[in-house]
Amino acid sequence: MKKNIALVAGGYSGEYVISVQSAETIQKNLDSSKYEVYKIIVTREGWRHTAADGTVCEIDKNDFSLTIGGNKIKFDAVFIGIHGTPGEDGRLQGYFEMLDIPYTSCGMVTSALTFNKSYCNKVVAALDVVNVSKSVHIFRDQPHDPAAILQELRLPVFVKPAEGGSSIGMSKVKTAEELPAAIEKAFKEDSQVLIEEFIKGRELTIGLYRANGVLNVLPITEVVSSKEFFDYEAKYTPGVSNEITPAPVPDDITALVQQTASTLYNKLNCKGITRIDFIYEEATGKLYFLEANTMPGQSENSLVPQQVRAAGKTLQAFYGEVLEECMKK
């Protein structure tokens, strides 16, 4: 018997389009001999599946089921493919936990924590396993003073929405005069903003996942952007950034990144596919934590699929392992 799998995509954020692209890759690479996959597009207007004949079916949110042609379909597991809210921030995770439906991502608490870059930074700093850039966390409904912020931090700084992905609303600020506009830009995306000191170094990112009870560490990617930083355009426009997998770094740095990422994956209680981003500061030999991405992009050219292929594995085998792991009781 094939297992019924719900592949949820879309979401409520500016990452909707990227999420739909990720879901296309996932669906194409899930073994059709093992899984009956139903893609569910989640929007604020509804959670809907479009059947092969074009019929649009609404999810019954009482038990997360579909009724197609009079047949009620319940799911053995959910493959979460939503970047941003509600699929990356713990909301869907809590919902599926209450319904006792297995799902592929981190749990509710870990998802919510890692989704907020500022709170995640505080927890990671307390773990004392990697350096964390100095930062200030501000809120839209609380007063803040740009001059006072720059007394705590040295320029340049990054200004970014505390909860958001794909570098939407993010700015690199080099002068005091640029800071107010950058804060305003970030507040258009979120009610919380993180301002952190820029660390000059090599951007190294690594995917991890657990399969058959074993934590698998994928090859490292080095991201070299022709832009000031790895912004939305650099991430999703071919040719704007150069992503090198495996990263051309010495064995000792490779070991440092792999070990640090593995420790963070375990200490943060991650599940499923997580990609952890770092900056390696060559001048000091220090490794800095950037963020933990619990729903990394899965489009064909995204970083994790690149790393899976570099590891000599097919995406079909990879997604199958991730799915089977989440269904273990």
Side-chain angles (χ1 to χ4, degrees):
M1 286 286 289
K2 289 188 188 181
K3 291 174 179 172
N4 289 330
I5 305 299
L7 171 59
V8 296
Y12 308 155
S13 77
E15 296 182 272
Y16 176 95
V17 173
I18 306 302
S19 170
V20 171
Q21 290 174 3
S22 287
E24 287 174 5
T25 304
I26 295 165
Q27 185 168 24
K28 187 169 70 176
N29 289 286
L30 282 174
D31 190 340
S32 59
S33 68
K34 294 181 180 177
Y35 311 117
E36 199 67 56
V37 181
Y38 297 82
K39 185 160 68 178
I40 315 295
I41 299 295
V42 171
T43 67
R44 293 193 187 278
E45 288 68 47
W47 300 5
R48 300 181 179 120
H49 168 71
T50 303
D53 64 0
T55 305
V56 178
C57 311
E58 194 84 28
I59 281 280
D60 181 348
K61 294 179 186 174
N62 292 302
D63 59 1
F64 195 72
S65 65
L66 277 175
T67 300
I68 300 177
N71 295 318
K72 187 181 180 77
I73 297 162
K74 301 195 82 171
F75 296 104
D76 295 292
V78 180
F79 203 120
I80 298 180
I82 294 177
H83 309 301
T85 189
E88 196 176 356
D89 58 0
R91 298 183 191 196
L92 278 185
Q93 287 80 0
Y95 167 71
F96 292 133
E97 283 169 22
M98 287 193 293
L99 293 174
D100 198 27
I101 301 174
Y103 56 88
T104 54
S105 78
C106 293
M108 179 185 69
V109 173
T110 297
S111 297
L113 171 69
T114 54
F115 192 67
N116 187 300
K117 297 180 184 69
S118 184
Y119 292 132
C120 188
N121 278 359
K122 291 176 175 68
V123 170
V124 169
L127 293 173
D128 200 26
V129 296
V130 66
N131 298 286
V132 178
S133 180
K134 195 174 179 185
S135 65
V136 170
H137 186 190
I138 60 174
F139 302 83
R140 185 189 288 141
D141 61 354
Q142 296 177 24
H144 61 270
D145 178 5
I149 291 169
L150 292 181
Q151 286 183 342
E152 292 189 49
L153 306 178
R154 58 172 172 77
L155 289 165
V157 295
F158 276 118
V159 180
K160 58 184 84 171
E163 297 186 350
S166 294
S167 301
I168 297 169
M170 185 170 166
S171 304
K172 183 178 180 183
V173 170
K174 297 178 180 177
T175 68
E177 292 72 29
E178 295 170 345
L179 184 57
I183 290 172
E184 189 177 334
K185 177 182 174 182
F187 272 137
K188 286 178 180 173
E189 303 297 328
D190 189 18
S191 61
Q192 302 177 41
V193 168
L194 174 66
I195 303 156
E196 60 185 351
E197 290 184 349
F198 167 69
I199 304 297
K200 183 176 175 58
R202 300 173 71 174
E203 184 164 349
L204 304 173
T205 180
I206 187 167
L208 306 94
Y209 69 104
R210 202 178 300 281
N212 301 312
V214 175
L215 180 56
N216 293 269
V217 181
L218 294 170
I220 301 168
T221 299
E222 180 171 14
V223 178
V224 183
S225 178
S226 62
K227 302 285 293 292
E228 275 281 344
F229 60 94
F230 196 40
D231 64 4
Y232 187 92
E233 182 189 358
K235 285 181 179 178
Y236 302 115
T237 307
V240 175
S241 68
N242 189 18
E243 297 154 4
I244 310 160
T245 312
V249 294
D251 290 347
D252 60 333
I253 298 174
T254 297
L256 173 64
V257 171
Q258 290 175 335
Q259 182 56 55
T260 305
S262 299
T263 301
L264 290 173
Y265 187 100
N266 288 324
K267 295 279 190 184
L268 294 172
N269 196 28
C270 293
K271 301 282 191 297
I273 310 162
T274 298
R275 197 192 77 230
I276 303 181
D277 303 342
F278 299 98
I279 293 285
Y280 179 71
E281 189 178 48
E282 289 185 292
T284 62
K286 289 181 178 178
L287 189 66
Y288 281 81
F289 171 78
L290 273 184
E291 67 173 301
N293 189 326
T294 60
M295 185 52 230
Q298 299 298 324
S299 57
E300 286 290 346
N301 296 319
S302 292
L303 297 169
V304 166
Q306 286 182 39
Q307 294 172 5
V308 170
R309 288 190 288 266
K313 189 180 284 287
T314 66
L315 287 177
Q316 184 179 93
F318 172 61
Y319 294 137
E321 286 178 349
V322 169
L323 199 46
E324 291 299 325
E325 181 73 13
C326 88
M327 288 188 277
K328 286 182 179 176
K329 289 293 183 182

